[in-house]
Amino acid sequence: MNAPVPRDALAAAASSAGVGPAVAEFPDPGPAERRSRQAEVVTALSAVLPTSLLLWQEEDTIPYECDGLTAYRERPLVVALPETEEQVRAVLKVCHRLRVPVVARGAGTGLSGGAMPHRMGVTLSLARFNRILQIDRRSRSARVQCGVRNLAISEAASPHGLYYAPDPSSQIACTIGGNVAENSGGVHCLKYGLTLHNVLRVRGFTMEGELVEFGSEALDAPGLDLLPLVVGSEGMLAVVTEVTVRLVPKPQLARCIMASFPSVQAAGEAVAQVIAEGIIPAGLEMMDRPMTAAVEDFVHAGYDLKAAAILLCESDGTAEEVEEEVRRMTEVLSGCGASRLEVSRDEAQRLRFWSGRKNAFPASGRISPDYMCMDSTIPRKRLADILTAIGEMENRHGLRCVNVFHAGDGNLHPLILFDANRPGELERAEAFGAEILETSVRLGGTVTGEHGVGIEKIRSMCVQFSPEEREQMAALKRAFDPAGLLNPGKVIPTLHRCAEYGQMHVKKGLLPFAELPRF
């Protein structure tokens, strides 16, 4: 059997990459060595977990080989399915002792490859942590295990007149632990905030098996506030097992305006003007004509198919508040050139409007064999600029792109349509996506808004952050995970990778992810 990878080997690998071991890449042995290492890990984990909670045969590990980003796949050595916190602690201690990488996984709905397994590592599935531990009506909070579905929290809180506000499109399936890892958003986060703004406390374990808690159910936490570090850390700092979230009262009334515009530029200007007028809608979403056509054919939401772009603008609160806000938004939208305005007549129509937006991704899957969903953020005032740029990129890369945005906070979700069965189309889609991210940075934005960096955007981090800034990120990871075993190879690029990325742009021939395993 293989000996554990020693610390000095990790340090040497990191040194050659130009940063500390927090972003080290592990040796990739041949098949015989991999089988030997697998046997060693299975034997060690069998001492702390029933074998029924371990998967290592190829047919059993294939379902875990990717998350929602299906273009890149890898099978782990072993999948562990713990049922208790003590089992999580035990698995982590074993892996730390053997120097085995660990990738935590929830429902696998992530879209940046953050939960893609490590070839020489253990995938730690937390799917069985699915209990709602407490709904506290008086404090308006819920304490839940990390594997609880986002929507299940609102369903459990509904009898108390409460709900959990962040609502990603995948809320029917995604877990709160994954939401914490990615700092997920949703269509109503303009008014109510992202995951970070709705989480009070996070409990979990470090790679060494140490119990840690971040945040507090009180107004403030003692000492340094490390909660914002953990939320959005993509499983690189700790394994989250329990989360306490904030609940908010259900609004008395909600109404949605569907506003049609003759151009995407006019729609983008309308978004900026709504915010400039001091209006903070509950939701403010934008879709271009190709996207609305795909969605309308799928769910029949009642969208205006003649419009170049539509906005969905929602107001919620008391009846008086909603009436006044809808009036103000209608005036602003009309003044910005809206060619048609329709206000939801009742709750059924409001839900139909939103069903279209929330089904944008599956609707795209009906019109294209494959699609790549990008995620970046720009200043709201640059929405028209990025849409114009994406239109030019379509011609340059020879691929179609349909667009849906969290327009109110400038979070873009362009969906690049391609067919992976056609030689070269996946590579063209990758190059298209990389150009969208670079353009977002150039316009004053960021390479991610809510989907995370994972492996999808790791090289684009080289565009946004200097070597010194990336080293500070690596130093923070080392403070939590000195051996670099939690989700290695994600989020923080090595200097070597950034050098390769620079060569790509000089030579115009190398592709962003040539080294990653493909389907």
Side-chain angles (χ1 to χ4, degrees), residues 10-73:
L10 296 178
S15 177
S16 68
V19 294
V23 289
E25 297 187 8
F26 294 82
D28 187 7
E33 291 176 286
R34 188 175 187 272
R35 286 194 297 270
S36 176
R37 182 64 160 167
Q38 182 184 59
E40 179 187 24
V41 173
V42 170
T43 298
L45 290 178
S46 296
V48 298
L49 278 184
T51 55
S52 61
L53 301 181
L54 293 173
L55 306 174
W56 66 89
Q57 299 295 340
E58 181 174 334
E59 63 269 24
D60 295 327
T61 59
I62 284 177
Y64 297 87
E65 66 183 359
C66 66
D67 57 12
L69 181 68
T70 58
Y72 314 113
R73 305 185 183 196

Short mmCIF file of all heavy atoms in Angstrom, two decimals, residues 10-73:
data_model
loop_
_atom_site.label_atom_id
_atom_site.label_comp_id
_atom_site.label_asym_id
_atom_site.label_seq_id
_atom_site.Cartn_x
_atom_site.Cartn_y
_atom_site.Cartn_z
N LEU A 10 3.96 17.94 -0.13
CA LEU A 10 2.96 18.98 -0.37
C LEU A 10 3.62 20.34 -0.49
O LEU A 10 3.30 21.14 -1.37
CB LEU A 10 1.93 19.00 0.77
CG LEU A 10 1.06 17.76 0.94
CD1 LEU A 10 0.14 17.95 2.14
CD2 LEU A 10 0.25 17.50 -0.30
N ALA A 11 4.54 20.61 0.41
CA ALA A 11 5.23 21.89 0.40
C ALA A 11 6.02 22.08 -0.88
O ALA A 11 6.05 23.17 -1.47
CB ALA A 11 6.15 22.01 1.61
N ALA A 12 6.67 20.99 -1.34
CA ALA A 12 7.45 21.09 -2.57
C ALA A 12 6.56 21.37 -3.76
O ALA A 12 6.88 22.19 -4.63
CB ALA A 12 8.23 19.79 -2.79
N ALA A 13 5.40 20.69 -3.81
CA ALA A 13 4.46 20.92 -4.91
C ALA A 13 3.98 22.36 -4.90
O ALA A 13 3.88 23.01 -5.94
CB ALA A 13 3.28 19.96 -4.80
N ALA A 14 3.71 22.86 -3.70
CA ALA A 14 3.23 24.24 -3.60
C ALA A 14 4.31 25.23 -3.97
O ALA A 14 4.08 26.24 -4.62
CB ALA A 14 2.74 24.52 -2.18
N SER A 15 5.54 24.93 -3.54
CA SER A 15 6.65 25.83 -3.83
C SER A 15 6.85 25.97 -5.33
O SER A 15 7.08 27.05 -5.85
CB SER A 15 7.92 25.32 -3.17
OG SER A 15 9.02 26.15 -3.51
N SER A 16 6.74 24.83 -6.04
CA SER A 16 6.92 24.88 -7.49
C SER A 16 5.82 25.69 -8.16
O SER A 16 6.01 26.22 -9.24
CB SER A 16 6.95 23.46 -8.06
OG SER A 16 5.67 22.86 -7.93
N ALA A 17 4.66 25.78 -7.50
CA ALA A 17 3.55 26.55 -8.06
C ALA A 17 3.64 28.01 -7.69
O ALA A 17 2.92 28.84 -8.21
CB ALA A 17 2.21 25.98 -7.57
N GLY A 18 4.49 28.35 -6.74
CA GLY A 18 4.69 29.74 -6.38
C GLY A 18 3.90 30.20 -5.19
O GLY A 18 3.94 31.37 -4.84
N VAL A 19 3.12 29.31 -4.55
CA VAL A 19 2.37 29.70 -3.37
C VAL A 19 2.47 28.59 -2.35
O VAL A 19 3.04 27.54 -2.59
CB VAL A 19 0.88 29.95 -3.71
CG1 VAL A 19 0.73 31.15 -4.62
CG2 VAL A 19 0.26 28.74 -4.37
N GLY A 20 1.84 28.82 -1.18
CA GLY A 20 1.91 27.84 -0.09
C GLY A 20 1.06 26.63 -0.37
O GLY A 20 0.34 26.54 -1.36
N PRO A 21 1.11 25.64 0.55
CA PRO A 21 0.43 24.37 0.30
C PRO A 21 -1.07 24.45 0.27
O PRO A 21 -1.72 23.46 -0.06
CB PRO A 21 0.91 23.51 1.49
CG PRO A 21 1.29 24.49 2.55
CD PRO A 21 1.84 25.66 1.81
N ALA A 22 -1.65 25.61 0.58
CA ALA A 22 -3.11 25.71 0.54
C ALA A 22 -3.66 25.45 -0.84
O ALA A 22 -4.81 25.08 -1.01
CB ALA A 22 -3.55 27.09 1.02
N VAL A 23 -2.86 25.65 -1.88
CA VAL A 23 -3.32 25.42 -3.24
C VAL A 23 -2.46 24.38 -3.94
O VAL A 23 -2.31 24.38 -5.15
CB VAL A 23 -3.36 26.74 -4.05
CG1 VAL A 23 -4.46 27.63 -3.55
CG2 VAL A 23 -2.03 27.47 -3.96
N ALA A 24 -1.87 23.48 -3.17
CA ALA A 24 -1.04 22.45 -3.76
C ALA A 24 -1.85 21.51 -4.62
O ALA A 24 -3.02 21.26 -4.36
CB ALA A 24 -0.34 21.65 -2.67
N GLU A 25 -1.23 20.98 -5.66
CA GLU A 25 -1.86 19.96 -6.49
C GLU A 25 -1.21 18.63 -6.18
O GLU A 25 0.01 18.53 -6.10
CB GLU A 25 -1.73 20.33 -7.96
CG GLU A 25 -2.46 21.63 -8.29
CD GLU A 25 -2.49 21.91 -9.78
OE1 GLU A 25 -2.08 21.03 -10.54
OE2 GLU A 25 -2.92 23.00 -10.15
N PHE A 26 -2.03 17.60 -5.96
CA PHE A 26 -1.54 16.32 -5.49
C PHE A 26 -1.07 15.45 -6.64
O PHE A 26 -1.56 15.56 -7.76
CB PHE A 26 -2.64 15.62 -4.69
CG PHE A 26 -2.98 16.34 -3.42
CD1 PHE A 26 -3.85 17.41 -3.45
CD2 PHE A 26 -2.43 15.95 -2.22
CE1 PHE A 26 -4.17 18.09 -2.29
CE2 PHE A 26 -2.74 16.62 -1.06
CZ PHE A 26 -3.62 17.69 -1.09
N PRO A 27 -0.09 14.58 -6.37
CA PRO A 27 0.40 13.69 -7.42
C PRO A 27 -0.73 12.86 -8.01
O PRO A 27 -1.67 12.48 -7.31
CB PRO A 27 1.42 12.80 -6.68
CG PRO A 27 1.80 13.58 -5.46
CD PRO A 27 0.60 14.37 -5.08
N ASP A 28 -0.64 12.56 -9.30
CA ASP A 28 -1.65 11.77 -9.99
C ASP A 28 -1.01 10.45 -10.42
O ASP A 28 -0.43 10.35 -11.51
CB ASP A 28 -2.17 12.53 -11.21
CG ASP A 28 -3.35 11.82 -11.86
OD1 ASP A 28 -3.83 10.83 -11.28
OD2 ASP A 28 -3.76 12.25 -12.95
N PRO A 29 -1.09 9.43 -9.57
CA PRO A 29 -0.42 8.18 -9.87
C PRO A 29 -1.15 7.37 -10.93
O PRO A 29 -2.26 7.71 -11.36
CB PRO A 29 -0.46 7.44 -8.53
CG PRO A 29 -1.70 7.95 -7.88
CD PRO A 29 -1.82 9.39 -8.30
N GLY A 30 -0.54 6.27 -11.34
CA GLY A 30 -1.15 5.39 -12.32
C GLY A 30 -2.24 4.56 -11.70
O GLY A 30 -2.49 4.59 -10.49
N PRO A 31 -2.92 3.74 -12.53
CA PRO A 31 -4.06 2.94 -12.06
C PRO A 31 -3.72 2.02 -10.90
O PRO A 31 -4.52 1.89 -9.96
CB PRO A 31 -4.46 2.15 -13.31
CG PRO A 31 -3.97 2.96 -14.45
CD PRO A 31 -2.72 3.62 -13.99
N ALA A 32 -2.56 1.36 -10.94
CA ALA A 32 -2.21 0.42 -9.87
C ALA A 32 -2.02 1.15 -8.55
O ALA A 32 -2.52 0.69 -7.50
CB ALA A 32 -0.94 -0.35 -10.24
N GLU A 33 -1.34 2.26 -8.59
CA GLU A 33 -1.13 3.04 -7.36
C GLU A 33 -2.45 3.59 -6.84
O GLU A 33 -2.67 3.66 -5.63
CB GLU A 33 -0.15 4.17 -7.63
CG GLU A 33 1.28 3.73 -7.90
CD GLU A 33 2.16 4.90 -8.24
OE1 GLU A 33 2.04 5.41 -9.38
OE2 GLU A 33 2.96 5.31 -7.38
N ARG A 34 -3.33 4.00 -7.75
CA ARG A 34 -4.62 4.52 -7.33
C ARG A 34 -5.44 3.44 -6.62
O ARG A 34 -6.05 3.68 -5.59
CB ARG A 34 -5.39 5.07 -8.53
CG ARG A 34 -6.67 5.81 -8.16
CD ARG A 34 -7.31 6.44 -9.39
NE ARG A 34 -8.43 7.28 -9.02
CZ ARG A 34 -9.69 6.85 -8.87
NH1 ARG A 34 -9.97 5.58 -9.05
NH2 ARG A 34 -10.64 7.70 -8.53
N ARG A 35 -5.43 2.24 -7.17
CA ARG A 35 -6.16 1.14 -6.53
C ARG A 35 -5.59 0.82 -5.16
O ARG A 35 -6.34 0.54 -4.21
CB ARG A 35 -6.12 -0.10 -7.43
CG ARG A 35 -7.01 -0.02 -8.65
CD ARG A 35 -7.18 -1.38 -9.30
NE ARG A 35 -5.91 -1.89 -9.79
CZ ARG A 35 -5.44 -1.67 -11.02
NH1 ARG A 35 -6.13 -0.94 -11.87
NH2 ARG A 35 -4.29 -2.19 -11.41
N SER A 36 -4.27 0.87 -5.05
CA SER A 36 -3.63 0.60 -3.76
C SER A 36 -4.01 1.66 -2.73
O SER A 36 -4.35 1.35 -1.59
CB SER A 36 -2.12 0.56 -3.94
OG SER A 36 -1.47 0.38 -2.70
N ARG A 37 -3.98 2.93 -3.17
CA ARG A 37 -4.36 4.02 -2.27
C ARG A 37 -5.83 3.90 -1.87
O ARG A 37 -6.20 4.14 -0.73
CB ARG A 37 -4.10 5.35 -2.98
CG ARG A 37 -4.40 6.59 -2.15
CD ARG A 37 -3.51 6.70 -0.94
NE ARG A 37 -3.47 8.08 -0.44
CZ ARG A 37 -2.99 8.42 0.74
NH1 ARG A 37 -2.50 7.49 1.54
NH2 ARG A 37 -2.98 9.67 1.12
N GLN A 38 -6.67 3.53 -2.82
CA GLN A 38 -8.09 3.36 -2.55
C GLN A 38 -8.31 2.30 -1.48
O GLN A 38 -9.11 2.48 -0.54
CB GLN A 38 -8.84 2.99 -3.82
CG GLN A 38 -10.34 2.84 -3.66
CD GLN A 38 -11.00 2.38 -4.94
OE1 GLN A 38 -10.68 1.31 -5.47
NE2 GLN A 38 -11.91 3.19 -5.47
N ALA A 39 -7.63 1.18 -1.60
CA ALA A 39 -7.77 0.11 -0.61
C ALA A 39 -7.35 0.59 0.77
O ALA A 39 -8.00 0.27 1.78
CB ALA A 39 -6.94 -1.10 -1.04
N GLU A 40 -6.29 1.39 0.82
CA GLU A 40 -5.82 1.92 2.10
C GLU A 40 -6.87 2.83 2.73
O GLU A 40 -7.15 2.73 3.94
CB GLU A 40 -4.51 2.69 1.88
CG GLU A 40 -3.95 3.33 3.15
CD GLU A 40 -2.77 4.22 2.86
OE1 GLU A 40 -2.64 4.73 1.72
OE2 GLU A 40 -1.96 4.44 3.78
N VAL A 41 -7.45 3.69 1.91
CA VAL A 41 -8.44 4.65 2.43
C VAL A 41 -9.71 3.92 2.87
O VAL A 41 -10.27 4.21 3.94
CB VAL A 41 -8.75 5.72 1.37
CG1 VAL A 41 -9.90 6.62 1.83
CG2 VAL A 41 -7.51 6.56 1.08
N VAL A 42 -10.19 2.97 2.08
CA VAL A 42 -11.38 2.21 2.44
C VAL A 42 -11.16 1.47 3.76
O VAL A 42 -12.04 1.46 4.65
CB VAL A 42 -11.76 1.22 1.33
CG1 VAL A 42 -12.85 0.26 1.81
CG2 VAL A 42 -12.24 1.98 0.09
N THR A 43 -10.01 0.85 3.91
CA THR A 43 -9.71 0.13 5.15
C THR A 43 -9.73 1.06 6.35
O THR A 43 -10.32 0.74 7.39
CB THR A 43 -8.34 -0.56 5.04
OG1 THR A 43 -8.37 -1.50 3.98
CG2 THR A 43 -7.98 -1.28 6.35
N ALA A 44 -9.12 2.23 6.20
CA ALA A 44 -9.06 3.18 7.32
C ALA A 44 -10.44 3.74 7.65
O ALA A 44 -10.80 3.86 8.83
CB ALA A 44 -8.10 4.32 6.98
N LEU A 45 -11.23 4.05 6.63
CA LEU A 45 -12.56 4.61 6.89
C LEU A 45 -13.52 3.56 7.42
O LEU A 45 -14.46 3.89 8.16
CB LEU A 45 -13.13 5.24 5.61
CG LEU A 45 -12.45 6.54 5.14
CD1 LEU A 45 -13.08 7.02 3.83
CD2 LEU A 45 -12.55 7.63 6.20
N SER A 46 -13.30 2.30 7.08
CA SER A 46 -14.17 1.23 7.58
C SER A 46 -14.07 1.08 9.09
O SER A 46 -14.97 0.51 9.73
CB SER A 46 -13.82 -0.10 6.90
OG SER A 46 -14.08 -0.04 5.51
N ALA A 47 -13.01 1.61 9.67
CA ALA A 47 -12.85 1.55 11.12
C ALA A 47 -13.70 2.59 11.83
O ALA A 47 -13.94 2.47 13.04
CB ALA A 47 -11.37 1.75 11.49
N VAL A 48 -14.20 3.60 11.10
CA VAL A 48 -14.97 4.67 11.74
C VAL A 48 -16.38 4.80 11.15
O VAL A 48 -17.21 5.52 11.70
CB VAL A 48 -14.24 6.03 11.63
CG1 VAL A 48 -12.90 5.97 12.35
CG2 VAL A 48 -14.06 6.46 10.18
N LEU A 49 -16.65 4.12 10.03
CA LEU A 49 -17.97 4.16 9.40
C LEU A 49 -18.40 2.74 9.05
O LEU A 49 -17.57 1.93 8.63
CB LEU A 49 -17.94 4.97 8.10
CG LEU A 49 -18.05 6.50 8.14
CD1 LEU A 49 -18.08 7.02 6.71
CD2 LEU A 49 -19.25 6.98 8.90
N PRO A 50 -19.68 2.42 9.17
CA PRO A 50 -20.16 1.14 8.64
C PRO A 50 -19.89 1.08 7.13
O PRO A 50 -19.99 2.10 6.44
CB PRO A 50 -21.66 1.17 8.93
CG PRO A 50 -21.84 2.19 9.99
CD PRO A 50 -20.76 3.21 9.80
N THR A 51 -19.55 -0.08 6.63
CA THR A 51 -19.26 -0.19 5.20
C THR A 51 -20.46 0.17 4.34
O THR A 51 -20.30 0.53 3.17
CB THR A 51 -18.79 -1.62 4.85
OG1 THR A 51 -19.78 -2.56 5.31
CG2 THR A 51 -17.45 -1.93 5.51
N SER A 52 -21.66 0.11 4.91
CA SER A 52 -22.86 0.53 4.15
C SER A 52 -22.86 2.02 3.86
O SER A 52 -23.61 2.49 3.01
CB SER A 52 -24.13 0.15 4.92
OG SER A 52 -24.17 0.81 6.18
N LEU A 53 -22.02 2.77 4.57
CA LEU A 53 -21.92 4.22 4.38
C LEU A 53 -20.69 4.60 3.56
O LEU A 53 -20.30 5.77 3.53
CB LEU A 53 -21.90 4.93 5.73
CG LEU A 53 -23.11 4.70 6.63
CD1 LEU A 53 -22.98 5.49 7.92
CD2 LEU A 53 -24.41 5.06 5.91
N LEU A 54 -20.09 3.61 2.90
CA LEU A 54 -18.93 3.86 2.05
C LEU A 54 -19.19 3.30 0.65
O LEU A 54 -19.71 2.20 0.49
CB LEU A 54 -17.68 3.19 2.62
CG LEU A 54 -17.14 3.74 3.94
CD1 LEU A 54 -16.02 2.86 4.46
CD2 LEU A 54 -16.64 5.17 3.76
N LEU A 55 -18.83 4.07 -0.37
CA LEU A 55 -18.95 3.64 -1.76
C LEU A 55 -17.58 3.76 -2.41
O LEU A 55 -16.92 4.79 -2.27
CB LEU A 55 -19.95 4.52 -2.52
CG LEU A 55 -21.36 4.67 -1.93
CD1 LEU A 55 -22.16 5.68 -2.73
CD2 LEU A 55 -22.08 3.32 -1.92
N TRP A 56 -17.15 2.73 -3.11
CA TRP A 56 -15.87 2.82 -3.80
C TRP A 56 -15.85 2.07 -5.13
O TRP A 56 -14.96 2.28 -5.94
CB TRP A 56 -14.74 2.34 -2.90
CG TRP A 56 -14.79 0.87 -2.55
CD1 TRP A 56 -14.23 -0.16 -3.24
CD2 TRP A 56 -15.43 0.29 -1.41
NE1 TRP A 56 -14.49 -1.35 -2.61
CE2 TRP A 56 -15.21 -1.10 -1.46
CE3 TRP A 56 -16.16 0.81 -0.33
CZ2 TRP A 56 -15.72 -1.97 -0.50
CZ3 TRP A 56 -16.66 -0.05 0.62
CH2 TRP A 56 -16.44 -1.43 0.54
N GLN A 57 -16.85 1.22 -5.39
CA GLN A 57 -16.91 0.56 -6.69
C GLN A 57 -17.26 1.61 -7.77
O GLN A 57 -18.00 2.56 -7.53
CB GLN A 57 -17.96 -0.54 -6.68
CG GLN A 57 -17.71 -1.65 -5.67
CD GLN A 57 -16.44 -2.44 -5.99
OE1 GLN A 57 -15.96 -2.41 -7.12
NE2 GLN A 57 -15.91 -3.14 -4.99
N GLU A 58 -16.72 1.41 -8.96
CA GLU A 58 -16.88 2.41 -10.02
C GLU A 58 -18.34 2.76 -10.28
O GLU A 58 -18.70 3.93 -10.39
CB GLU A 58 -16.22 1.90 -11.31
CG GLU A 58 -16.33 2.89 -12.46
CD GLU A 58 -15.56 2.44 -13.68
OE1 GLU A 58 -14.59 1.67 -13.55
OE2 GLU A 58 -15.94 2.87 -14.80
N GLU A 59 -19.20 1.74 -10.36
CA GLU A 59 -20.59 2.03 -10.68
C GLU A 59 -21.29 2.81 -9.57
O GLU A 59 -22.30 3.47 -9.80
CB GLU A 59 -21.36 0.72 -10.96
CG GLU A 59 -21.42 -0.24 -9.78
CD GLU A 59 -20.28 -1.24 -9.77
OE1 GLU A 59 -19.22 -0.94 -10.37
OE2 GLU A 59 -20.45 -2.31 -9.17
N ASP A 60 -20.75 2.72 -8.35
CA ASP A 60 -21.35 3.45 -7.22
C ASP A 60 -20.86 4.89 -7.13
O ASP A 60 -21.56 5.75 -6.58
CB ASP A 60 -21.05 2.72 -5.91
CG ASP A 60 -21.71 1.35 -5.83
OD1 ASP A 60 -22.81 1.21 -6.39
OD2 ASP A 60 -21.11 0.44 -5.24
N THR A 61 -19.66 5.16 -7.62
CA THR A 61 -19.10 6.51 -7.50
C THR A 61 -19.39 7.39 -8.72
O THR A 61 -19.25 8.61 -8.64
CB THR A 61 -17.58 6.45 -7.28
OG1 THR A 61 -16.96 5.76 -8.39
CG2 THR A 61 -17.24 5.71 -5.99
N ILE A 62 -19.83 6.78 -9.83
CA ILE A 62 -20.11 7.57 -11.04
C ILE A 62 -21.13 8.68 -10.78
O ILE A 62 -20.98 9.80 -11.27
CB ILE A 62 -20.56 6.66 -12.20
CG1 ILE A 62 -19.35 5.92 -12.79
CG2 ILE A 62 -21.26 7.47 -13.30
CD1 ILE A 62 -19.70 4.95 -13.89
N PRO A 63 -22.21 8.45 -10.00
CA PRO A 63 -23.18 9.54 -9.77
C PRO A 63 -22.58 10.77 -9.09
O PRO A 63 -23.22 11.83 -9.09
CB PRO A 63 -24.24 8.88 -8.88
CG PRO A 63 -24.15 7.43 -9.19
CD PRO A 63 -22.70 7.18 -9.42
N TYR A 64 -21.39 10.63 -8.52
CA TYR A 64 -20.78 11.75 -7.80
C TYR A 64 -19.69 12.44 -8.61
O TYR A 64 -18.97 13.30 -8.09
CB TYR A 64 -20.18 11.24 -6.48
CG TYR A 64 -21.20 10.67 -5.53
CD1 TYR A 64 -21.59 9.34 -5.61
CD2 TYR A 64 -21.81 11.48 -4.57
CE1 TYR A 64 -22.54 8.82 -4.75
CE2 TYR A 64 -22.77 10.97 -3.71
CZ TYR A 64 -23.13 9.64 -3.81
OH TYR A 64 -24.08 9.12 -2.96
N GLU A 65 -19.54 12.09 -9.89
CA GLU A 65 -18.36 12.54 -10.63
C GLU A 65 -18.42 14.01 -11.04
O GLU A 65 -17.43 14.55 -11.52
CB GLU A 65 -18.15 11.66 -11.86
CG GLU A 65 -19.24 11.78 -12.91
CD GLU A 65 -19.01 10.84 -14.09
OE1 GLU A 65 -17.99 10.12 -14.07
OE2 GLU A 65 -19.84 10.82 -15.01
N CYS A 66 -19.56 14.67 -10.90
CA CYS A 66 -19.64 16.09 -11.24
C CYS A 66 -20.79 16.72 -10.46
O CYS A 66 -21.59 16.03 -9.83
CB CYS A 66 -19.86 16.27 -12.74
SG CYS A 66 -21.46 15.67 -13.33
N ASP A 67 -20.85 18.04 -10.51
CA ASP A 67 -22.04 18.73 -10.00
C ASP A 67 -22.80 19.25 -11.20
O ASP A 67 -22.75 18.65 -12.28
CB ASP A 67 -21.68 19.82 -8.99
CG ASP A 67 -20.72 20.88 -9.55
OD1 ASP A 67 -20.52 20.91 -10.78
OD2 ASP A 67 -20.18 21.67 -8.75
N GLY A 68 -23.51 20.38 -11.07
CA GLY A 68 -24.30 20.89 -12.18
C GLY A 68 -23.47 21.33 -13.37
O GLY A 68 -24.00 21.48 -14.47
N LEU A 69 -22.17 21.55 -13.16
CA LEU A 69 -21.26 21.84 -14.27
C LEU A 69 -20.78 20.49 -14.82
O LEU A 69 -19.81 19.91 -14.33
CB LEU A 69 -20.07 22.68 -13.80
CG LEU A 69 -19.05 23.07 -14.88
CD1 LEU A 69 -19.65 24.04 -15.88
CD2 LEU A 69 -17.80 23.66 -14.25
N THR A 70 -21.47 19.97 -15.81
CA THR A 70 -21.26 18.59 -16.24
C THR A 70 -20.13 18.43 -17.25
O THR A 70 -19.80 17.30 -17.63
CB THR A 70 -22.55 18.02 -16.86
OG1 THR A 70 -22.93 18.85 -17.96
CG2 THR A 70 -23.67 17.99 -15.83
N ALA A 71 -19.54 19.54 -17.70
CA ALA A 71 -18.50 19.43 -18.74
C ALA A 71 -17.24 18.77 -18.21
O ALA A 71 -16.46 18.22 -18.99
CB ALA A 71 -18.18 20.81 -19.29
N TYR A 72 -17.00 18.83 -16.90
CA TYR A 72 -15.78 18.29 -16.32
C TYR A 72 -16.16 17.24 -15.27
O TYR A 72 -16.98 17.51 -14.39
CB TYR A 72 -14.95 19.40 -15.68
CG TYR A 72 -14.83 20.60 -16.58
CD1 TYR A 72 -15.42 21.81 -16.25
CD2 TYR A 72 -14.15 20.50 -17.80
CE1 TYR A 72 -15.34 22.90 -17.10
CE2 TYR A 72 -14.07 21.58 -18.65
CZ TYR A 72 -14.67 22.78 -18.30
OH TYR A 72 -14.59 23.85 -19.15
N ARG A 73 -15.54 16.07 -15.36
CA ARG A 73 -15.94 14.97 -14.49
C ARG A 73 -14.71 14.24 -13.97
O ARG A 73 -13.70 14.14 -14.65
CB ARG A 73 -16.85 13.99 -15.25
CG ARG A 73 -18.07 14.67 -15.85
CD ARG A 73 -19.01 13.67 -16.47
NE ARG A 73 -20.13 14.38 -17.11
CZ ARG A 73 -21.26 13.81 -17.47
NH1 ARG A 73 -21.45 12.52 -17.27
NH2 ARG A 73 -22.21 14.51 -18.04
#
